[in-house]
Amino acid sequence: MTGSSWRSATPPRRSPGGSMPDKSHIELERQIDSITVGVRHRKDPGELTALMKSIEEVGLLQPVTVTPDGVLICGWRRLEALRQLGRRTLSVWVRAGISDQLSHLLAQQDENEQRKPLSPVETARLYAEIKILEKEDAQRRMAATQFGGAGRDGEASGSGDSPEPCGDSRTRAAQLATGGNSYQRLEQVNRIQAITEDETLTESVREFASNMLSEIEDGAPVSPAYKRVKAAVELASKPPPPTSDEQDEVTRLAAEALKRVQEEENAKRLRALRNKAKRAPRHHSPRSFTLMWSELEGWTELYDVDELAGALKDDEWARFERVVTETIDLRDRLRDARTAAASA
């Protein structure tokens, strides 16, 4: 391979954290100038002083990742730090198994290069691929930091890299795939794609998801399509409607539950009335009584009986009858008291 020399060949091995093995990678030494850095939507690598200090102290324990053709995949900040340190070579991991679309995207040198735009589904698939590579690189750096020790001033030095300032793997993948930071629509497209391939779902749901993908390819907005597919999955996961016998049983149980609630409410109301009767009453003044009945005089002519009959609910009618009964009882007791007072 041009600009590189064999350092060591390693068979596929399990990545840190127990993730799936890396696909056909080898580790070797390569000249920095021979690595192709394509268009990076992130133009500023950020502050590299701590990273450069870490590399000088413990070296680059975590290589950058390149394609077999020498195109940079992950580790741009590490590469720039080494370049500023005046290094001529660096350790790289050669990562095979990436798609042609991703190789083309990474190798682009001219932002204005004419090429066929990717469809929304192709862009989402590319985003998912980049996200996997970014996660693998982050896991390797984390493992190297854990086992390689720490540099001075508390800087993580095992990986030869400092924390990325540009966000998580989703943001970085979105930047490379689209040029922007937003990944929500890309995640939604990939979720719809996953549903089309989920054999635990019914064929009708998978077909509906596939139709939504086709609409997105034709220019339909992603979010409404995603919401419809999500709703279809939720509806399909609900239990089937009850049979006629089951529905009758449900109706019976509901009626019994309502009856119990009403009985409990009535018992509660009765207890409240009894407790209220036991307490010493706080009577209003005779003037308050006179004013209230002055205001109520003629109130029975204000309402239409037929309209009330159709509008009042059972509990409202029960309350009205209860108040009328209480009023008649008060009238009888008050009449008796007046008669007794007059006799005296």
Side-chain angles (χ1 to χ4, degrees):
M1 183 177 296
T2 305
S4 64
S5 60
W6 291 103
R7 176 178 178 183
S8 63
T10 59
R13 64 184 180 185
R14 183 167 294 277
S15 300
S19 60
M20 63 181 296
D22 295 320
K23 299 178 180 178
S24 306
H25 77 263
I26 58 174
E27 185 176 343
L28 52 82
E29 197 79 14
R30 190 176 184 108
Q31 294 181 3
I32 290 179
D33 291 342
S34 70
I35 295 177
T36 301
V37 180
V39 173
R40 295 276 148 170
H41 296 289
R42 183 175 153 221
K43 303 299 184 185
D44 183 4
E47 176 57 49
L48 298 176
T49 303
L51 175 56
M52 293 165 63
K53 179 181 177 182
S54 173
I55 293 175
E56 285 186 313
E57 290 181 349
V58 298
L60 185 68
L61 300 184
Q62 173 53 47
V64 303
T65 306
V66 299
T67 69
D69 294 331
V71 177
L72 181 68
I73 299 176
C74 303
W76 180 47
R77 298 184 71 247
R78 279 164 274 169
L79 182 66
E80 289 302 310
L82 287 166
R83 198 190 304 275
Q84 291 189 28
L85 286 171
R87 305 290 177 85
R88 294 179 176 271
T89 63
L90 80 162
S91 178
V92 298
W93 276 24
V94 180
R95 179 69 152 77
I98 66 173
S99 66
D100 292 338
Q101 280 185 338
L102 179 54
S103 295
H104 180 69
L105 177 71
L106 293 170
Q108 280 184 351
Q109 294 298 302
D110 184 0
E111 282 189 273
N112 297 319
E113 179 183 355
Q114 296 297 319
R115 66 183 180 90
K116 179 183 177 182
L118 296 176
S119 71
V121 175
E122 288 175 328
T123 303
R125 190 178 299 120
L126 189 63
Y127 158 80
E129 189 176 357
I130 299 171
K131 188 171 67 170
I132 291 173
L133 294 172
E134 289 283 357
K135 283 184 176 180
E136 288 178 355
D137 187 68
Q139 287 176 332
R140 287 194 295 265
R141 285 188 286 118
M142 183 181 297
T145 301
Q146 290 172 344
F147 297 109
R152 296 174 186 170
D153 301 324
E155 291 290 341
S157 59
S159 66
D161 201 358
S162 58
E164 292 284 356
C166 62
D168 61 18
S169 59
R170 293 174 300 182
T171 301
R172 294 193 293 272
Q175 288 173 339
L176 275 175
T178 67
N181 294 335
S182 178
Y183 51 79
Q184 182 175 3
R185 285 184 297 178
L186 300 170
E187 292 280 354
Q188 289 175 343
V189 171
N190 285 331
R191 175 57 182 153
I192 297 175
Q193 179 66 51
I195 291 172
T196 66
E197 302 168 359
D198 188 347
E199 296 185 356
T200 64
L201 299 172
T202 63
E203 183 178 352
S204 59
V205 172
R206 298 199 303 270
E207 183 178 356
F208 179 71
S210 179
N211 292 337
M212 289 297 98
L213 276 184
S214 298
E215 291 189 12
I216 291 173
E217 290 282 65
D218 292 337
V222 174
S223 184
Y226 172 73
K227 290 178 181 177
R228 289 196 289 270
V229 172
K230 183 179 179 182
V233 172
E234 291 174 351
L235 286 173
S237 65
K238 290 183 178 180
T243 63
S244 177
D245 291 342
E246 291 173 337
Q247 185 62 46
D248 291 342
E249 178 68 9
V250 169
T251 302
R252 183 185 67 79
L253 292 174
E256 290 182 356
L258 178 60
K259 183 180 178 180
R260 286 197 300 272
V261 170
Q262 290 174 338
E263 290 175 349
E264 291 173 359
E265 287 294 325
N266 290 336
K268 182 178 179 181
R269 187 179 297 112
L270 182 58
R271 287 195 300 270
L273 289 174
R274 288 173 178 171
N275 292 334
K276 184 177 181 181
K278 292 178 181 178
R279 294 193 299 266
R282 181 178 178 273
H283 294 149
H284 290 196
S285 67
R287 176 172 174 74
S288 172
F289 176 86
T290 303
L291 289 174
M292 182 185 70
W293 283 100
S294 297
E295 293 176 357
L296 285 175
E297 187 173 9
W299 73 271
T300 57
E301 303 298 327
L302 300 177
Y303 300 96
D304 182 273
V305 172
D306 294 331
E307 183 181 2
L308 284 176
L312 288 178
K313 299 178 182 178
D314 291 344
D315 60 331
E316 294 169 336
W317 171 250
R319 184 184 304 113
F320 171 72
E321 284 197 314
R322 185 170 63 253
V323 172
V324 170
T325 300
E326 292 172 353
T327 302
I328 293 173
D329 178 66
L330 175 62
R331 181 203 64 184
D332 293 342
R333 289 188 291 115
L334 181 56
R335 179 189 291 145
D336 292 344
R338 282 171 54 82
T339 300
S343 300

